[in-house]
Amino acid sequence: MTRSVLGAQPVIVSAARTAIGTARKGTLAQTPAEDLAVAILTETVRRSGIDPERVDDVIFAESLYGGGDVARYAAVVAGMTGVPGLAVNRHCTGSLSSIGLAAAGVVSGMEKIVVAGGVQATSLMPRLKRRVPGTVDEVENWYPGTHPNSADAPNTDMSITVGWNTAQEFGLTREDMDAWALRSHQRAVAAIDAGKFVDEIVPIKVSTLDGSVVEFAVDEHPRRDTSAERLASLKVLHPEIPDFSITAGNASGTNDAAAAVTVTSAELAAAENIQTLATVRAWASVGIDPKLTGVGALRAIDKVLDRAGLTTGDVRLWEINEAFASVPVAACRHFGLDEETVNFSGSGCSLGHPIAASGARMVTTLIHELRRTGGGIGVAAMCAGGGQGGALVIEV
């Protein structure tokens, strides 16, 4: 996977993210996706030490943002007017796919330096409308679906499509998922207090609703007061479904953030004495029946490890996105993973899930934690709307 006839080996030479905001009521609620994209692109390139004019492409995932091309917008504002931009939409796995596309360009020899990641501004997500088919001018609110809508896989309710269906498939109880969510918050708070995220986060200045400007540099979504009792007291999201076990507590947050990495070849990095943070060993995307969307993360892990020639025993640290707590719990049981190695600093339930940015956030956190703790193999994996999954293998 990581070799071509040209012998190029893709490596990551910088990785950064913004702090994660709580959508609509958090610090980034007034910050457009374009501003987040400019900030993360500028800093990611600066950290690489590479002249911005040498970048061949910027590939940014964006989801539920109404179209456009935020990557190109950011390149222009950042003064990289000669650099094109590509918008990717694979929902939750979008920024993992962006990094995979960047690595593929380097492997092929067609690209030398690519910045890849994703941006999510849920707080300012546009409301879409369209003309009603069969009418002349009647307009309706419209939500673009990822798959044919059905009762067991609704397009607009991931608590069923991902959370509940995964729990049913693997026989998970509410207690299983609440316990995971509680630990996610505890780990995220501990990581923040220990300063683990300081090196990976890009502090940015943003405007708030009252017009003041503040610096945002600390993830604000984790709850310090979360407890088993609080989680157990939350109402399920679908009380009309017998034994339904998904709540707001064992689901991911709704969030804003951006994250990106710079990908080049090992040869270029060595020739120019550029520090390599990680090697990209393999990447993969999968499709699955939409009603089993959560299982897409597990299928992606199987596929990416096979491509990398690895087994689960070779992996030192895992980031398995907590779109719902049922997904990492299912993965741990299915693969027999040591839970201590999975989501070591929290994930979607605690840090939050800024959809198009989450994959690159996970990779950024993996890189920094592996470098801090002696290196090894890391895997980032997640499911995505429409019955999809994605995964990426790095080595530090």
Side-chain angles (χ1 to χ4, degrees):
M1 168 61 100
T2 54
R3 295 182 178 85
S4 74
V5 294
L6 300 176
Q9 178 79 57
V11 295
I12 293 172
V13 295
S14 68
R17 68 176 180 93
T18 68
I20 301 170
T22 300
R24 290 179 286 277
K25 55 186 178 182
T27 307
L28 296 179
Q30 314 306 319
T31 306
E34 292 82 359
D35 291 356
L36 293 173
V38 171
I40 202 64
L41 173 60
T42 301
E43 180 62 13
T44 302
V45 174
R46 187 194 71 78
R47 292 186 180 195
S48 75
I50 295 171
D51 185 337
E53 294 184 359
R54 297 180 60 197
V55 174
D56 292 306
D57 205 354
V58 178
I59 307 175
F60 276 176
E62 53 186 70
S63 180
L64 305 174
Y65 206 63
D69 188 346
V70 72
R72 173 57 182 167
Y73 182 103
V76 172
V77 176
M80 301 162 60
T81 53
V83 181
L86 174 64
V88 172
N89 186 359
R90 196 170 261 152
H91 291 294
C92 303
T93 65
S95 52
L96 281 186
S97 293
S98 296
I99 298 171
L101 288 169
V106 169
V107 167
S108 72
M110 296 296 103
E111 313 286 7
K112 292 183 178 180
I113 303 163
V114 182
V115 180
V119 184
Q120 188 72 33
T122 303
S123 293
L124 297 173
M125 184 178 75
R127 305 296 180 182
L128 302 180
K129 295 180 180 294
R130 72 171 183 179
R131 182 177 59 82
V132 178
T135 72
V136 175
D137 56 9
E138 184 179 347
V139 175
E140 64 179 355
N141 293 326
W142 181 65
Y143 181 91
T146 57
H147 60 276
N149 205 47
S150 65
D152 59 0
N155 266 293
T156 57
D157 193 342
M158 294 297 106
S159 73
I160 295 174
T161 306
V162 177
W164 176 238
N165 290 353
T166 303
Q168 290 289 93
E169 184 75 9
F170 288 89
L172 309 181
T173 66
R174 175 171 174 174
E175 290 71 23
D176 294 330
M177 295 179 283
D178 281 357
W180 187 281
L182 175 59
R183 185 168 58 182
S184 180
H185 282 278
Q186 292 170 338
R187 287 181 170 182
V189 169
I192 291 170
D193 289 349
K196 284 189 174 184
F197 298 136
V198 171
D199 289 343
E200 66 191 61
I201 288 179
V202 178
I204 58 174
K205 293 188 182 301
V206 298
S207 297
T208 60
L209 191 59
D210 65 7
S212 61
V213 176
V214 300
E215 183 175 85
F216 185 50
V218 179
D219 299 311
E220 66 185 5
H221 200 72
R223 293 180 177 270
R224 292 178 178 273
D225 61 352
T226 298
S227 66
E229 293 74 23
R230 283 178 181 269
L231 290 171
S233 71
L234 297 175
K235 295 180 179 179
V236 298
L237 299 179
H238 285 284
E240 77 281 3
I241 298 177
D243 300 320
F244 199 79
S245 56
I246 307 303
T247 72
N250 55 41
S252 62
T254 306
N255 304 92
D256 306 317
V261 303
T262 303
V263 181
T264 187
S265 67
E267 292 78 6
L268 186 150
E272 300 189 19
N273 198 29
I274 298 171
Q275 182 184 30
T276 295
L277 302 183
T279 299
V280 181
R281 292 281 299 270
W283 56 95
S285 297
V286 300
I288 194 170
D289 188 320
K291 70 182 179 182
L292 295 176
T293 293
V295 184
L298 282 61
R299 296 283 176 84
I301 288 171
D302 278 329
K303 187 173 183 178
V304 82
L305 289 180
D306 180 66
R307 287 183 169 183
L310 300 169
T311 68
T312 56
D314 297 315
V315 180
R316 184 158 169 267
L317 292 177
W318 301 81
E319 280 271 358
I320 302 175
N321 187 42
E322 296 162 1
F324 293 84
S326 57
V327 176
V329 174
C332 286
R333 294 193 178 181
H334 178 71
F335 293 112
L337 305 181
D338 178 357
E339 294 182 356
E340 294 302 313
T341 67
V342 182
N343 300 351
F344 41 86
S345 295
S347 184
C349 289
S350 54
L351 292 172
H353 180 20
I355 300 171
S358 285
R361 194 285 303 167
M362 292 160 63
V363 172
T364 296
T365 301
L366 265 178
I367 289 172
H368 284 82
E369 183 69 10
L370 284 168
R371 289 180 61 81
R372 183 166 42 243
T373 59
I377 300 290
V379 172
M382 55 208 311
C383 61
Q388 301 180 90
L392 187 89
V393 178
I394 62 169
E395 184 172 7
V396 171

